Amino acid sequence: MSFLNPIFLIALISVAVPLLIYLLNLKKPKRVAFSTLSFFSAIQQSSLRKIKLKRRLLLFLRMAAVASLAIALARPQFQGAGQSGSEGATVVGVLIDNSPSMEQVDQNGPWMDQAVKLVAELADAYDENTRFLPEVTNGESLYQPMMSGASLKQAVAQLTPRNAGNDAKNKLLSVLKQLQQAPEPNKRLVILTDGQRSQWKWLQDNSIVASSEAHGSSSASIHDALRSAFGGEPLPALDWIRVGRDGTNRNSAVREVMLKRENQGYVMDIALVNYGEQRAQNQLLSLYRENELLLQQAFELEAQSETWVRFPVPEPVTDAVSGTRLVVNLELRIEGDEITFDDRTYWTIEFPMKRRILLVNHEEASKSSLNSYLETVLRAGAEADQLYDVITVSSSMLTADRFTGVDAVVLNGVPDLPDYLIQPLTDHLQQGAGLLLLPSAQGNLQGYNRLIGTTAGTGYQGVLGSYGSFQAVERLASPTEGHPILDGIFDKEESEPIQLDPPSIYFYYNISTDRDRSSIPILKTRSGKTLLAETTIGDGSLIYSAIGADPGWSDFPLKPFFAPLFHKTVRYLSAGEGANINRHDLGTPFQAEIADGSPSDTELIYKEQVIRPELQQTFTGVNVRYEGLEWNPGFGRIRSGEKERIFSINQNAMESDLSSLSSSETGELLESHFETIQYASSEDLLESDTGVSNLASFGRDFWYWFILLGIGFLLAESLVSRYYKAESAGSTSRPSDN
């Protein structure tokens, strides 16, 4: 046991005051002359003894009460766990929370500034022989050796909140390990934090610590990992300093972005959350591409509520080629928010660049004088913009394994597909591929409808006109923009009507979409018949036409509209498979695999700085791993030879939840691991002249026990005085009347 304020032990002298009063009241008895003692009976000796016992008991209780209060003033403490003794040198580990939430402000100023000030005061409160080990929770380690108090103040003076990955778990394990290895007999741990719930909830998790191997344990629970880092001994005494109070009442953030393919192309479904306790008003969500504003939407959110916003994904352009992929780098910005660190998020939408198109031709059609123009159009388009490769196969040579690895399938004049090919093709579509069906004049309508998956009364429902007659029975209606295939295909002003030389149609299948809500008409005839329609099969799209691609159906192949229409249709159908959001969340190690890559020429690039990550050769390529503790939200790149992949970097969405642990939650988390804990708040410490000095002592206070003990002695003294009637315990004889 030690005393925080030993000077107050002088107050023990006051214990003599009740004794002095007692001694002064012991007066010598006066002699009184009586004529006779016959009227007094003999006083029993037992009564006299009880009177003396009462007086001495009252004296003890009064002296004990005064002594208890004097000891309480001296602030006694038990020696803390993890300390060899109260004498000798001391080492203090200081873990400072520099997460983005520490940029909040209260009446005492910015929370980060409060933490830095308290660390400086702690450095002054310890004696000059004390060494300190500073560390931060976010970003790269400080990599500082044990240092003096003066050096500690210099090391933390410029600390600011870091919008980097939270690594509080590994940083705490590292500090404990270094404390255990320090030669000083007295060890102490100080944590200064705003107590953000999402940052410390891992202390409650009893699962296996993934990074525990770095701290001497290959498989351990959280508690075992902490004990192992400290050499298996009881953990050192902990000072938990809660920084700040009454934080922001509003913080809007993007919680999640989901990429979906709709009939109009890819869209981003964006989850917006107000983590605060007040309504978020007059805020804007904006979509930028290379700092160019594309879309903007106002929103309002009630406290602790969520809403979804949908933005279309802009189409990648040819000059965005990066290795073998097309990417769209987008940025979402929230404007009008109180907390700004999470208002910008970054999203890399990655598409396969060299899409593979499987063109299935019917060999009998190639012998006809009316040849299909489709293959010529597709090969010309592929050569022009290098967006896809065309692989051709005849329908008689088509097997199910041909569907593997292709992004879209084009059935060009194939009259029918056997059942053993329909199911594999359907499975391929459900996984995100596309299919373009251009029918044969001798086509099996039931087989076509089975492939499309239509219900009775929909799909192909008979023929109109005569194939190869060159007699027009219908004409194409003027197209209406609104579908991704048609948008931007015409070179015109926005309000200008489409000028088109309409093709004449000689022969076509009657497609019924009136009762088929899953099919969307893309082109129609002047009489309202569907000429080109789209339906979805799983995650893929199927576009089917009422006419084929040779001149026996219409003069469409001879019109300028034919080539761009089917070129863009194939691009649209092949864009779905493989499109994804390529992202990395801070706070976890970055990991990726580069197909066919080599460790000798693979590197990471972040803010134009080349980084050599951990590389491991595999059978399929090279695995890339890097901690990325110094990274901030933005974009990064992996370069392997001539290949390059772009990825987006974002803060973990849980960092946006600024709610703090309550006192009971904090105690529940910490007391299951640490035996000796002192809780304090920055508000109390900064307002008190001696608060920080008090924290600089080891052990657990129990002065309040002596306060309670002193009060108990005083209560006991009152009860003894009132109810202990020693004078009446014996009996006295009254004088006889006789």
Side-chain angles (χ1 to χ4, degrees):
M1 185 176 71
S2 60
F3 295 92
L4 182 60
N5 301 317
I7 188 66
F8 286 102
L9 290 176
I10 298 176
L12 287 174
I13 299 175
S14 61
V15 173
V17 174
L19 178 60
L20 182 60
I21 295 174
Y22 174 79
L23 294 176
L24 291 176
N25 285 334
L26 290 179
K27 299 179 181 179
K28 189 176 181 179
K30 296 181 179 180
R31 291 182 177 272
V32 180
F34 284 92
S35 58
T36 179
L37 295 178
S38 59
F39 299 105
F40 295 90
S41 61
I43 299 176
Q44 297 181 4
Q45 291 298 319
S46 60
S47 296
L48 293 175
R49 285 195 299 270
K50 290 182 179 180
I51 292 173
K52 291 180 180 180
L53 178 61
K54 175 183 178 180
R55 292 176 178 175
R56 291 173 181 173
L57 180 58
L58 292 174
L59 174 63
F60 168 76
L61 293 174
R62 291 163 184 164
M63 293 177 66
V66 173
S68 297
L69 296 176
I71 294 174
L73 291 175
R75 295 287 300 274
Q77 293 184 328
F78 280 131
Q79 182 177 315
Q83 300 165 217
S84 300
S86 59
E87 302 297 329
T90 301
V91 59
V92 182
V94 182
L95 182 60
I96 306 168
D97 183 354
N98 67 330
S99 63
S101 61
M102 290 289 284
E103 72 178 32
Q104 297 181 78
V105 180
D106 62 18
Q107 69 274 15
N108 291 318
W111 290 6
M112 193 73 238
D113 291 352
Q114 295 181 42
V116 170
K117 183 178 180 181
L118 288 172
V119 172
E121 293 185 10
L122 278 171
D124 292 333
Y126 283 90
D127 62 53
E128 60 182 11
N129 295 323
T130 301
R131 293 199 303 163
F132 298 90
L133 175 65
E135 187 56 279
V136 292
T137 59
N138 285 52
E140 62 270 34
S141 174
L142 293 181
Y143 296 112
Q144 296 285 352
M146 300 288 184
M147 60 181 62
S148 65
S151 299
L152 174 66
K153 291 192 288 186
Q154 294 179 0
V156 304
Q158 303 302 320
L159 284 182
T160 58
R162 281 290 309 275
N163 194 14
N166 190 299
D167 199 32
K169 176 168 60 179
N170 290 327
K171 297 293 183 59
L172 178 56
L173 291 171
S174 176
V175 170
L176 288 173
K177 186 174 183 179
Q178 293 181 71
L179 285 178
Q180 190 272 333
Q181 294 173 349
E184 285 83 355
N186 298 318
K187 306 176 193 298
R188 189 77 169 183
L189 177 63
V190 179
I191 298 179
L192 300 98
T193 177
D194 62 0
Q196 188 178 4
R197 182 176 286 104
S198 60
Q199 184 179 31
W200 298 103
K201 65 178 183 179
W202 59 269
L203 284 169
Q204 192 176 21
D205 186 10
N206 201 39
S207 62
I208 300 302
V209 183
S211 58
S212 58
E213 291 186 4
H215 302 281
S217 175
S218 59
S219 177
S221 67
I222 292 296
H223 182 73
D224 292 340
L226 292 171
R227 289 288 296 268
S228 177
F230 201 61
E233 300 177 4
L235 298 181
L238 169 65
D239 291 330
W240 178 272
I241 303 177
R242 167 72 163 83
V243 179
R245 61 172 296 183
D246 299 331
T248 181
N249 291 315
R250 286 181 293 270
N251 183 40
S252 301
V254 173
R255 181 181 63 81
E256 183 181 7
V257 171
M258 300 178 64
L259 185 65
K260 292 184 178 180
R261 183 173 181 177
E262 300 292 335
N263 292 325
Q264 301 299 317
Y266 273 102
V267 296
M268 300 170 67
D269 283 338
I270 306 158
L272 284 170
V273 183
N274 177 13
Y275 289 101
E277 300 297 333
Q278 293 185 8
R279 178 183 176 86
Q281 304 182 44
N282 303 321
Q283 297 190 3
L284 295 172
L285 178 66
S286 305
L287 179 66
Y288 286 83
R289 178 178 181 175
E290 296 179 356
N291 289 321
E292 177 187 355
L293 178 62
L294 301 180
L295 294 165
Q296 194 171 66
Q297 181 169 329
F299 69 93
E300 295 185 356
L301 278 173
E302 298 294 337
Q304 299 292 321
S305 65
E306 177 178 295
T307 189
W308 287 84
V309 175
R310 172 167 288 187
F311 283 159
V313 176
E315 188 174 344
V317 294
T318 306
D319 59 8
V321 174
S322 177
T324 58
R325 293 177 179 267
L326 286 172
V327 297
V328 177
N329 290 326
L330 303 174
E331 179 184 349
L332 291 172
R333 299 181 189 175
I334 296 176
E335 301 175 37
D337 194 17
E338 290 184 7
I339 297 296
T340 60
F341 78 87
D342 54 359
D343 285 348
R344 292 190 174 195
T345 55
Y346 303 86
W347 308 92
T348 296
I349 313 295
E350 189 176 69
F351 302 86
M353 178 198 166
K354 278 288 187 179
R355 300 150 188 171
R356 303 181 68 211
I357 310 300
L358 179 64
L359 176 61
V360 183
N361 295 315
H362 184 50
E363 57 270 18
E364 294 298 327
S366 63
K367 301 176 183 178
S368 171
S369 59
L370 301 175
N371 293 327
S372 170
Y373 288 18
L374 184 64
E375 182 174 351
T376 303
V377 166
L378 295 184
R379 290 198 179 279
E383 184 177 353
D385 58 15
Q386 298 293 308
L387 289 176
Y388 54 81
D389 288 328
V390 179
I391 306 167
T392 59
V393 63
S394 64
S395 57
S396 61
M397 301 299 292
L398 182 63
T399 56
D401 60 348
R402 286 296 194 124
F403 302 136
T404 303
V406 300
D407 301 295
V409 178
V410 179
L411 298 180
N412 182 27
V414 177
D416 196 9
L417 279 180
D419 291 339
Y420 68 85
L421 289 179
I422 290 180
Q423 188 58 49
L425 180 55
T426 301
D427 293 341
H428 193 54
L429 292 178
Q430 289 177 337
Q431 295 173 4
L435 173 63
L436 174 60
L437 173 57
L438 297 174
S440 167
Q442 296 81 34
N444 180 355
L445 299 189
Q446 292 183 349
Y448 289 160
N449 288 335
R450 188 165 68 252
L451 178 62
I452 297 171
T454 57
T455 57
T458 61
Y460 290 104
Q461 299 294 318
V463 298
L464 296 171
S466 176
Y467 178 79
S469 66
F470 302 103
Q471 300 293 321
V473 296
E474 188 62 274
R475 286 184 180 273
L476 176 69
S478 180
T480 302
E481 291 183 313
H483 191 280
I485 293 176
L486 300 178
D487 290 343
I489 201 171
F490 300 99
D491 186 13
K492 67 179 189 65
E493 298 296 331
E494 184 175 353
S495 58
E496 183 182 353
I498 295 175
Q499 302 292 332
L500 182 68
D501 181 15
S504 298
I505 302 172
Y506 319 133
F507 175 74
Y508 69 99
Y509 286 118
N510 180 24
I511 296 178
S512 176
T513 59
D514 295 338
R515 292 186 295 171
D516 186 5
R517 295 183 178 180
S518 63
S519 292
I520 299 175
I522 301 174
L523 294 176
K524 288 190 174 184
T525 67
R526 288 183 174 179
S527 64
K529 298 291 186 180
T530 298
L531 199 63
L532 193 67
E534 179 184 11
T535 188
T536 57
I537 299 179
D539 292 333
S541 291
L542 186 154
I543 293 179
Y544 54 106
S545 173
I547 61 175
D550 65 75
W553 298 79
S554 71
D555 64 353
F556 194 11
L558 306 178
K559 300 293 184 179
F561 183 39
F562 180 83
L565 173 67
F566 285 103
H567 171 60
K568 199 167 183 184
T569 298
V570 169
R571 283 186 57 186
Y572 171 75
L573 288 172
S574 61
E577 189 173 22
N580 62 86
I581 297 176
N582 198 2
R583 61 178 291 187
H584 167 65
D585 286 340
L586 295 171
T588 59
F590 173 80
Q591 298 186 74
E593 183 174 358
I594 305 298
D596 302 323
S598 171
S600 61
D601 58 3
T602 300
E603 57 191 12
L604 275 174
I605 302 173
Y606 173 73
K607 292 185 176 180
E608 304 308 321
Q609 294 183 351
V610 177
I611 301 169
R612 288 293 296 177
E614 298 178 27
L615 302 172
Q616 183 180 9
Q617 186 72 59
T618 65
F619 290 107
T620 57
V622 59
N623 281 330
V624 182
R625 189 182 190 279
Y626 184 68
E627 290 294 334
L629 296 178
E630 76 280 11
W631 288 356
N632 298 322
F635 295 102
R637 291 179 290 160
I638 310 175
R639 188 161 56 203
S640 182
E642 297 181 355
K643 297 180 180 179
E644 188 170 273
R645 180 183 298 178
I646 302 175
F647 59 92
S648 57
I649 306 170
N650 286 310
Q651 185 59 268
N652 191 302
M654 292 307 298
E655 289 286 340
S656 298
D657 186 356
L658 305 180
S659 60
S660 298
L661 295 166
S662 64
S663 299
S664 59
E665 289 174 323
T666 303
E668 182 179 347
L669 285 180
L670 298 178
E671 290 170 12
S672 60
H673 305 296
F674 295 87
E675 296 181 12
T676 304
I677 309 171
Q678 288 196 103
Y679 301 97
S681 69
S682 59
E683 182 181 30
D684 294 338
L685 295 177
L686 293 173
E687 292 178 356
S688 172
D689 294 333
T690 60
V692 175
S693 298
N694 294 344
L695 278 179
S697 63
F698 287 82
R700 185 196 295 269
D701 282 345
F702 62 104
W703 56 269
Y704 49 87
W705 293 358
F706 286 92
I707 292 288
L708 296 175
L709 191 60
I711 294 174
F713 285 138
L714 292 176
L715 289 175
E717 190 270 346
S718 298
L719 293 174
V720 170
S721 298
R722 184 175 183 85
Y723 296 108
Y724 193 108
K725 302 298 184 181
E727 294 86 345
S728 61
S731 61
T732 57
S733 298
R734 298 185 59 182
S736 176
D737 293 336
N738 296 325

